[in-house]
Amino acid sequence: MRAVEKHTKVEWIKLYIKRWLKAPFQTNKGIKERTSGTPQGGVISPVLANLFLHYTFDKWMEINHPNNPFARYADDAVIHCKTEEEAKKLLESLNKRMNICKLELHPTKTKINKKATGINSTTKEQYSETLEENIEDLVSRLKSKSYHSVPVRRMYIPKLNSNKKRPLGIPEHEDKIVQKGITKILNAIYENDFLDCSFGFRPNRNCHDALKILNHYMEKKSVNYIVDVDIKGFFDNVDHIWMMEFLKLRIADPNLLRIIGRFLKGGYMEEGKKYKTDKGTPQGSISITQLHWYYAAIRLLTTAFGFLAYYRLYTILFYKKRPVGSPELPYHIHV
């Protein structure tokens, strides 16, 4: 209520919010009085929850820890710290803040994670100690065509709603620098080619944007059937030959193609053993896999059907009747 009172002096608004917060709720064992919390599912609950966390967390972080960038989504947050010691002190301070506001951090979900490094364990901080010399040496090797990426470090993360684990490839910090540069070049070339119906791994586009346009298709158009498509083991099975052929359609620079080819063939290290990569591209590495979807499927499918692509997932919509002279895509949303 203190947070609400900061924003309104209208007595009847404060009265009804207070009554709503204190309203009892029905359970299998009868009616129970409410002394804390807001019921999830209530229309006003998300607004009140955001208002509470705005003062409890957001403003507190902004005032007390201005040098620690953070992002919050509902009651989950990620806070960036430079050192482990800084992270421990911030977490201790945050615990005290939560106790004051009669909340507590989740004991198992709240933890300090160290950023993963490649096989040589070179951190960003270590590389930055002699940054000018390192960059000068890197540029020299790129110009002399002697640059070779090192194998990525293979690690596994749990798959959502599955007992299986997803393999990730963690590159060395120097290789990340080269990959980011290549990614900027590729985005500058292919963002002009990619269609409005594709959303995965693209700047300023996310899954929520994909859902918005999909919702428009389904509500406003005469959709009779929907086909959901998921490519099995996409990252593990991308064909290197086809990938390079697709790249050559828009890129003529042999030096750039050589570096990308070396990344694809760089291999990975797992439990001290090096493995070759004759196909596939490691998740967590350079994001060139979207080029494969573009040339292999999107151009073909959008000539006939309403089509939406996000990541390796596709949704194809079959219309009852396509109006004569209508464009390939019935509706475009630019975000």
Side-chain angles (χ1 to χ4, degrees):
M1 289 304 300
R2 291 177 183 175
V4 173
E5 289 168 356
K6 284 181 176 289
H7 290 272
T8 181
K9 294 182 179 180
V10 181
E11 292 300 324
W12 69 267
I13 293 179
K14 293 189 286 185
L15 175 64
Y16 280 109
I17 290 178
K18 187 173 182 179
R19 285 180 178 177
W20 183 81
L21 289 172
K22 294 290 184 181
F25 58 95
Q26 180 75 43
T27 69
N28 294 334
K29 296 181 180 180
I31 296 178
K32 289 189 175 183
E33 296 294 325
R34 187 190 307 279
T35 57
S36 63
T38 60
Q40 296 188 50
V43 176
I44 199 174
S45 290
V47 179
L48 292 178
N50 251 335
L51 180 64
F52 190 93
L53 288 168
H54 173 72
Y55 291 104
T56 304
F57 184 82
D58 298 352
K59 296 297 290 184
W60 178 83
M61 280 291 301
E62 185 180 57
I63 295 170
N64 295 277
H65 299 277
N67 297 322
N68 297 102
F70 70 94
R72 178 179 64 82
Y73 183 86
D75 57 350
D76 296 313
V78 175
I79 307 171
H80 299 274
C81 301
K82 291 182 179 179
T83 64
E84 186 177 2
E85 184 63 27
E86 182 184 30
K88 288 179 178 179
K89 289 182 179 179
L90 192 149
L91 192 56
E92 182 182 351
S93 177
L94 183 58
N95 260 313
K96 292 179 181 178
R97 173 63 176 174
M98 292 296 105
N99 290 334
I100 293 173
C101 299
K102 299 181 180 181
L103 294 172
E104 62 177 320
L105 299 177
H106 196 286
T108 57
K109 292 182 178 180
T110 302
K111 53 189 175 182
I112 297 173
N113 295 314
K114 184 179 180 181
K115 193 171 183 180
T117 57
I119 60 173
N120 295 329
S121 301
T122 305
T123 65
K124 179 181 178 181
E125 290 72 27
Q126 291 171 338
Y127 194 86
S128 300
E129 289 176 0
T130 54
L131 182 61
E132 290 187 9
E133 293 87 343
N134 288 333
I135 294 298
E136 185 178 342
D137 177 63
L138 174 60
V139 171
S140 175
R141 282 181 283 133
L142 286 168
K143 287 181 177 180
S144 63
K145 304 175 185 178
S146 60
Y147 167 79
H148 288 269
S149 60
V150 300
V152 298
R153 181 166 68 86
R154 172 66 63 89
M155 62 180 295
Y156 296 88
I157 59 172
K159 279 189 174 183
L160 187 65
N161 301 322
S162 173
N163 294 326
K164 297 181 179 179
K165 291 188 175 182
R166 187 188 305 281
L168 287 182
I170 310 299
E172 268 295 301
H173 182 70
E174 185 173 73
D175 292 337
K176 289 181 182 178
I177 294 173
V178 178
Q179 290 179 14
K180 286 181 179 180
I182 292 175
T183 300
K184 288 182 179 180
I185 295 172
L186 294 177
N187 280 335
I189 296 171
Y190 290 102
E191 274 301 310
N192 296 318
D193 293 359
F194 289 154
L195 303 185
D196 284 341
C197 58
S198 67
F199 291 84
F201 294 131
R202 295 184 60 186
N204 303 316
R205 288 177 172 238
N206 55 44
C207 57
H208 299 291
D209 301 319
L211 290 173
K212 287 177 184 177
I213 192 171
L214 180 61
N215 184 63
H216 177 86
Y217 285 148
M218 294 168 59
E219 288 188 352
K220 305 297 183 181
K221 302 298 177 179
S222 301
V223 177
N224 294 74
Y225 298 93
I226 294 176
V227 179
D228 286 321
V229 181
D230 182 3
I231 297 180
K232 182 180 179 181
F234 174 73
F235 282 96
D236 297 328
N237 295 289
V238 170
D239 187 274
H240 290 177
I241 296 176
W242 275 109
M243 174 68 81
M244 297 308 297
E245 289 300 318
F246 294 150
L247 287 165
K248 290 175 184 177
L249 292 174
R250 294 283 273 115
I251 299 173
D253 185 352
N255 296 318
L256 179 57
L257 294 171
R258 183 188 305 108
I259 294 174
I260 295 175
R262 286 177 177 176
F263 274 124
L264 291 174
K265 298 290 185 183
Y268 63 92
M269 295 288 291
E270 184 174 2
E271 296 181 351
K273 185 178 179 181
K274 182 179 178 180
Y275 295 86
K276 294 180 179 180
T277 47
D278 297 323
K279 62 178 181 178
T281 176
Q283 297 187 55
S285 187
I286 188 169
S287 297
I288 59 175
T289 50
Q290 56 188 313
L291 308 179
H292 194 279
W293 313 334
Y294 173 74
Y295 286 111
I298 297 178
R299 275 295 186 191
L300 172 64
L301 289 169
T302 49
T303 58
F305 313 112
F307 180 75
L308 187 74
Y310 181 79
Y311 184 26
R312 64 176 189 274
L313 308 174
Y314 306 91
T315 298
I316 308 168
L317 301 97
F318 293 86
Y319 301 136
K320 185 176 180 180
K321 183 180 179 181
R322 182 175 173 181
V324 177
S326 64
E328 292 179 2
L329 286 175
Y331 188 72
H332 288 215
I333 295 179
H334 297 274
V335 295

